[in-house]
Amino acid sequence: MIKVHHLNQSRSTRVLWLLEELGMRYEVEKHERDATTRLAPASLGKVHPLNKAPIIEHNDIVICESGAIMEYILDQDTEQRLRPEKGSKAYYQYVEWSHFAEGSLGLPVITSLLMQMEERSGTNPMDGYIAKELNLDFSYIDSVLAQQTYFAGDEFSVADIMMTITLEIAGSLNLLQGRENIARYLANVQSREAYLKARSFG
């Protein structure tokens, strides 16, 4: 059974969501953020040196990083669900968006989060760059979702799980105003039973 180390209000929700979608058995060990600093507790560092979530343990393997964990779990699924057939157009869309979530989009979104957490006066050279990147990324995302239901085309995939969590962080920072296609997309995926179950862990 896969053991998930889940940190409240973190990207480890992705892992729980995927396991629920696949109907796999798993166990959860919860870790709580420090109420003041909002940092992960030292308990995670006892599992993996990076002291970050998500982390999974399975068959003497310990893995950190959302994308790597998702691929590992998909490899355990005998029915090979939620990942398009390799070599297809949908597969490469899936690969692109799965990486985009923590790469091109992750950087400006997390930077925005950190910038909002600090006391700032006036403008900063970083402001213009981050604003440009966010506008570019969200314009691209919104245009794609205007043409297709999910990030890898017509079928829900792990790319949607990866992207949704990053988009939710952006939404919590009020970065998605006016992005109607993104809003419609989020309402759709957030109604999935597996998503709601994953969110119940906090």
Side-chain angles (χ1 to χ4, degrees), residues 5 14-15 18 33 60 72 91 106 121-122 146 151 159 181 200:
H5 291 273
R14 285 176 173 145
V15 180
L18 174 56
R33 293 183 182 277
D60 296 322
Y72 179 86
Y91 175 79
S121 59
F151 281 103
N181 297 310
S200 71

Side-chain angles (χ1 to χ4, degrees), residues 108-138:
V109 168
I110 298 304
T111 301
S112 293
L113 171 63
L114 297 174
M115 289 165 63
Q116 290 189 22
M117 291 172 62
E118 65 180 5
E119 292 185 14
R120 311 173 83 241
S121 59
T123 58
N124 183 296
M126 184 71 74
D127 295 350
Y129 172 77
I130 293 301
K132 174 186 72 69
E133 288 298 300
L134 289 172
N135 182 63
L136 181 64
D137 289 348
F138 292 135

Side-chain angles (χ1 to χ4, degrees), residues 35-72:
T36 303
T37 66
R38 305 303 298 155
L39 297 177
S43 58
L44 275 172
K46 296 177 181 178
V47 185
H48 193 286
L50 289 179
N51 201 58
K52 296 178 180 179
I55 303 168
I56 64 166
E57 294 182 81
H58 186 238
N59 293 338
D60 296 322
I61 297 174
V62 178
I63 306 176
C64 187
E65 288 294 330
S66 298
I69 290 171
M70 305 302 257
E71 292 298 322
Y72 179 86

